[in-house]
Amino acid sequence: MSETTEGNAPEARVEGDARIFEAADFEHFGPRTAYDMLERVPGFSIREADQERGLGEASENVLIDGERIANKSGGAVRELQRITAGQVLRIEIRDASGLGIAGLTGQVANVVLAERSAAVGQFEWNPEWRAHYARPFWFRGQVSYSDKAGPVDYTLSVEDYGSRGAFGGPLRIVGPDGALLENRREVLQIGIDFAKIQGQVAVDGPGSSKGNLTVAITPYWYELTLDQDRQIVGSMPFERDLKQVNDGYQFDMSGDLEFRLGPGRFKFIGLRHFDDEPIDTWQTSRFGDGSPDAGVLFVRDSLIGETVLRGEYEWKSGANNWQLSVERAYNSLDQEGSLYTLLEDGDYEEIDFPGGSGKVDEVRYEGIATLSRPLSAKLDLQIDGGAEYSQLSRDTGEVETRRFVRPKGSITLGWRPDKAWDFSLKLRRRVGQISFYDFLAQQDLQQDREDSGNPDLVPPQSWEIDVEGGRSLGKWGKTRMAIWARRIDDIIDIVPIGDDGESVGNLPRAHQFGARWTGTLELAPLGAQGARLDLEVSYEDSSVSDPLSGEKRHISGNDWYTAKAEFRHDIPNTDVAYGVTLQSSRERPRYYLTEVREEWEGPVFMQVFAEHKDVLGMTVRGEMGNVAGARNRLERTVWDGRRLRDPVLVRESGDRLIGPIFRLLVKGSF
């Protein structure tokens, strides 16, 4: 890599509704991948795809060559991490309402690629070490190789995108009068490795046709351990250990075929996902007085499947862009769950665990029509509408198959009063997602909590309104504000079962309100060439009727606030960059029928880094995370029976050490 020239912020040219950044605008950042370039677009926040029902409408605000990447393996964001920066021609930031792709809102990035002319490989190694508790993570990274043979483009890749996590420290438990009942010291460690082996093929032709096929297999290894020393006032101390192991694999295959048909183009999309997820969880208490060990074992083996077939037909009629889409999705969960108690001789004896095994499946059909058209040179309209039909069934107990018909759709307006301003307004009727695990009984040994299965769950539905506006500040950067409101019917929460039981269930209605402000401040006008500050602040409020008291409270576990500031300085005429990131975030408490629990990490995470963009042709970056000493915090109140009805039993307060985190990033091409 040659020395970079004096670095200024990428500056877009405006063409119609698009802000266009050329590849050369990012050279002084020394990007290795298309994703590196997209991260440097001023004022643009990458939004990854939601885990929607089937493929459904688009939610990821990133396109590649004007196309949505319709898969459930990371979408366009993951693809951009495998595309070299040299293949990018330009990045277009456009308003979603003018693209004719149902589901999108606000600003969308379209990454336009050049035709591949030569084979290229790239690699990335990103190991991590923690000063306390966690084991080193040596193998996070990826390597990929791409080439072209006639009309066929192909990419082979291997990656490990796992993680390590840990904390440890004291937990104090007091009674309702504040008297100390127990002191604990505990250490939690989590390690997970996803080793994905993937092949992708793209074929251009024959004629007007083009197609893509992706096949991936992902073995994974997960282990959680929680070691506790319990010092109970007036009683013998003991140790309690919990271990959870999940060694399974996933298989994914997705493809699409597109060709000209009549006045438009037809695209057929297919997807198959399979996950073999065996989980064993042991909880064992060991006593110092010679008493036999006590313990519980929960074994759950789950087979998860999803098959989606989707057809899309697009055509243009005058100023109107039309799309018709039809989708069929089949989802299933086949679970075998067993519960065992530890005997004095060390063997385990199975105990009754009603509702722990069974099969849940859903067949769903969806049809959506979308119209997109400009109302003027500065105003775009998109309307989409349709419905879904679903059939939910569970094969255990006397549970009847349930059938639902639900309307869905949206209206989106995009307005650009001048080159500096843009606004969007979206009104949407949405059908949400449910977890099939909630239909069957589950045992949480870490929290000593059992949830009964609920065969009567229905997916939530919501009315949603989003308003978004942005302003270019010229050489100073860009600022953007989004405001949203939701009315959610049949929201999923914890509901009472009988006198003492609880389960995941539906509550009648809830409301959400939120706002997010993002901004990019370029510091070159202040004399700091190559420096910029990215800021983000969000806040969300919510309201739902508590199923026990009927009084209003926040939605359990809902987002509360996020604040983030990221400073980066690419020193002009060098290959050196450095920076610092500050971030704080928190969720609302989680409400159960016997307890209220709030766990968070903070108050502030701080990360510093230094980067050199040409070390033997590679980019090398060193990071130190959690410089400000953020800790894991826990506040928990447990009632002796039903919350708000029975007296408080105990209050727990935890303050656990996380410690500094060290990372190394090495990436390059071959």
Side-chain angles (χ1 to χ4, degrees):
M1 180 188 299
S2 62
E3 284 194 339
T4 58
T5 59
E6 187 172 359
N8 290 310
E11 191 167 335
R13 74 175 193 272
V14 179
E15 291 186 5
D17 70 336
R19 293 187 296 130
I20 299 175
F21 298 89
E22 303 294 342
D25 296 332
F26 301 91
E27 286 182 358
H28 67 283
F29 293 118
R32 294 287 178 179
T33 67
Y35 182 80
D36 295 340
M37 299 170 73
L38 186 59
E39 279 194 308
R40 303 270 66 85
V41 173
F44 181 76
S45 297
I46 298 171
R47 184 174 65 246
E48 298 190 23
D50 298 331
Q51 293 300 310
E52 296 282 353
R53 297 155 62 77
L55 289 174
E57 299 179 345
S59 57
E60 187 178 34
N61 67 342
V62 180
L63 308 175
I64 298 178
D65 286 332
E67 298 286 338
R68 170 195 178 193
I69 305 301
N71 64 38
K72 292 200 170 183
S73 302
V77 168
R78 183 68 70 175
E79 293 298 315
L80 293 179
Q81 294 170 344
R82 288 188 281 263
I83 296 172
T84 61
Q87 198 179 342
V88 178
L89 286 177
R90 63 185 181 275
I91 297 177
E92 303 170 349
I93 306 298
R94 303 186 60 187
D95 190 273
S97 60
L99 293 171
I101 300 175
L104 296 179
T105 186
Q107 296 290 283
V108 177
N110 178 34
V111 182
V112 182
L113 306 178
E115 185 175 345
R116 192 185 309 280
S117 58
V120 63
Q122 59 181 2
F123 63 89
E124 180 177 307
W125 182 45
N126 191 199
E128 177 181 294
W129 306 267
R130 297 193 178 208
H132 304 281
Y133 307 121
R135 293 180 289 273
F137 188 16
W138 293 101
F139 302 112
R140 180 166 54 203
Q142 60 128 346
V143 58
S144 64
Y145 176 80
S146 302
D147 200 357
K148 185 172 184 178
V152 179
D153 259 305
Y154 64 89
T155 298
L156 304 175
S157 63
V158 179
E159 62 181 311
D160 185 343
Y161 54 96
S163 64
R164 299 291 186 269
F167 60 74
L171 181 71
R172 179 181 171 87
I173 303 176
V174 300
D177 59 355
L180 178 65
L181 300 178
E182 180 181 345
N183 273 321
R184 294 181 192 171
R185 292 199 64 87
E186 55 186 30
V187 175
L188 181 141
Q189 296 177 316
I190 300 175
I192 184 167
D193 288 86
F194 286 91
K196 176 182 282 189
I197 305 167
Q198 179 171 287
Q200 298 170 274
V201 177
V203 181
D204 190 358
S208 66
S209 66
K210 56 182 180 180
N212 300 276
L213 177 65
T214 300
V215 179
I217 185 166
T218 310
Y220 58 86
W221 303 269
Y222 172 88
E223 183 177 284
L224 178 149
T225 60
L226 176 62
D227 299 327
Q228 297 177 332
D229 291 326
R230 298 189 170 193
Q231 305 284 336
I232 301 175
V233 175
S235 181
M236 177 70 66
F238 69 96
E239 298 177 355
R240 174 171 286 182
D241 301 329
L242 182 137
K243 183 177 181 179
Q244 185 174 85
V245 176
N246 176 11
D247 297 340
Y249 75 93
Q250 297 175 349
F251 172 79
D252 290 276
M253 181 169 65
S254 61
D256 60 79
L257 177 63
E258 180 181 352
F259 52 88
R260 186 176 298 280
L261 180 65
R265 293 187 67 83
F266 177 79
K267 177 183 281 189
F268 174 77
I269 305 170
L271 177 149
R272 172 60 179 166
H273 171 79
F274 177 79
D275 189 352
D276 183 0
E277 188 185 79
I279 298 179
D280 295 344
T281 307
W282 297 264
Q283 183 198 85
T284 308
S285 297
R286 298 179 174 88
F287 306 94
D289 62 354
S291 300
D293 294 347
V296 181
L297 168 62
F298 177 48
V299 176
R300 189 184 77 187
D301 193 2
S302 303
L303 301 178
I304 304 165
E306 180 175 24
T307 304
V308 181
L309 298 176
R310 181 179 176 89
E312 298 176 350
Y313 184 64
E314 300 180 6
W315 75 97
K316 187 174 179 64
S317 174
N320 299 326
N321 287 295
W322 294 90
Q323 182 191 81
L324 297 177
S325 65
V326 178
E327 179 174 301
R328 181 189 189 274
Y330 173 74
N331 296 79
S332 64
L333 167 66
D334 193 349
Q335 172 179 307
E336 294 184 6
S338 303
L339 195 61
Y340 302 82
T341 186
L342 180 63
L343 303 177
E344 291 188 12
D345 62 3
D347 289 335
Y348 284 91
E349 180 181 57
E350 187 170 2
I351 58 178
D352 191 32
F353 186 51
S357 298
K359 184 175 182 180
V360 182
D361 58 20
E362 179 186 34
V363 179
R364 185 181 59 84
Y365 297 88
E366 174 190 277
I368 299 289
T370 304
L371 166 65
S372 302
R373 64 165 293 151
L375 300 180
S376 71
K378 298 181 178 181
L379 186 64
D380 293 312
L381 170 69
Q382 182 180 101
I383 302 174
D384 64 85
E388 70 168 50
Y389 166 82
S390 64
Q391 179 177 297
L392 269 168
S393 61
R394 194 181 87 165
D395 70 351
T396 53
E398 298 180 359
V399 180
E400 294 185 1
T401 297
R402 294 173 296 147
R403 297 171 177 83
F404 304 93
V405 177
R406 303 179 181 90
K408 57 199 306 184
S410 65
I411 300 174
T412 306
L413 283 170
W415 179 43
R416 300 167 303 282
D418 56 41
K419 291 184 177 181
W421 286 96
D422 67 86
F423 297 93
S424 66
L425 169 66
K426 182 171 186 174
L427 177 64
R428 183 186 187 190
R429 177 63 170 176
R430 178 172 174 263
V431 180
Q433 184 63 285
I434 51 176
S435 171
F436 284 1
Y437 281 119
D438 295 334
F439 286 79
L440 303 170
Q442 307 297 332
Q443 186 80 31
D444 187 343
L445 297 182
Q446 184 175 345
Q447 305 301 332
D448 293 319
R449 184 170 56 244
E450 179 179 330
D451 291 331
S452 306
N454 186 347
D456 298 321
L457 272 178
V458 298
Q461 303 178 78
S462 57
W463 285 104
E464 305 179 352
I465 184 167
D466 293 81
V467 181
E468 190 171 328
R471 176 173 170 76
S472 172
L473 304 176
K475 63 182 180 180
W476 291 95
K478 190 168 180 66
T479 183
R480 189 159 205 86
M481 185 71 157
I483 302 172
W484 63 88
R486 313 275 187 261
R487 195 197 81 171
I488 308 169
D489 299 316
D490 296 323
I491 187 171
I492 293 176
D493 207 312
I494 302 296
V495 300
I497 301 293
D499 290 333
D500 302 310
E502 65 178 38
S503 175
V504 174
N506 295 105
L507 298 181
R509 185 164 298 163
H511 296 87
Q512 285 179 322
F513 312 92
R516 179 184 297 108
W517 173 80
T518 57
T520 297
L521 177 62
E522 301 294 346
L523 302 180
L526 299 176
Q529 299 292 330
R532 84 183 220 182
L533 183 63
D534 288 292
L535 302 168
E536 178 180 345
V537 179
S538 65
Y539 176 84
E540 190 161 285
D541 203 354
S542 60
S543 173
V544 67
S545 294
D546 189 279
L548 293 179
S549 68
E551 297 179 355
K552 297 294 184 182
R553 61 163 170 83
H554 296 293
I555 295 174
S556 181
N558 199 61
D559 289 339
W560 187 350
Y561 66 82
T562 297
K564 182 178 180 181
E566 180 178 357
F567 170 79
R568 178 183 172 103
H569 187 197
D570 291 84
I571 302 175
N573 302 316
T574 75
D575 288 311
V576 176
Y578 66 92
V580 59
T581 301
L582 300 173
Q583 184 169 2
S584 179
S585 62
R586 197 160 171 180
E587 293 182 343
R588 300 288 184 179
R590 295 186 178 272
Y591 295 87
Y592 302 92
L593 301 188
T594 58
E595 67 177 84
V596 175
R597 177 187 181 90
E598 186 176 10
E599 186 172 4
W600 73 100
E601 294 183 345
V604 176
F605 276 93
M606 179 179 178
Q607 173 184 296
V608 296
F609 79 89
E611 177 179 298
H612 197 290
K613 306 165 193 173
D614 189 5
V615 178
L616 301 177
M618 301 177 293
T619 297
V620 178
R621 172 177 169 141
E623 301 177 4
M624 181 175 175
N626 199 19
V627 177
R631 300 174 69 88
N632 177 275
R633 315 277 181 158
L634 171 68
E635 296 293 337
R636 181 182 182 221
T637 301
V638 181
W639 279 259
D640 188 14
R642 284 279 194 245
R643 174 172 54 84
L644 305 179
R645 182 194 69 186
D646 298 311
V648 170
L649 182 64
V650 296
R651 291 187 173 91
E652 299 180 5
S653 180
D655 182 4
R656 284 77 69 94
L657 173 69
I658 299 172
I661 305 167
F662 305 94
R663 301 184 185 93
L664 175 67
L665 174 63
V666 180
K667 57 183 178 180
S669 304
F670 59 91

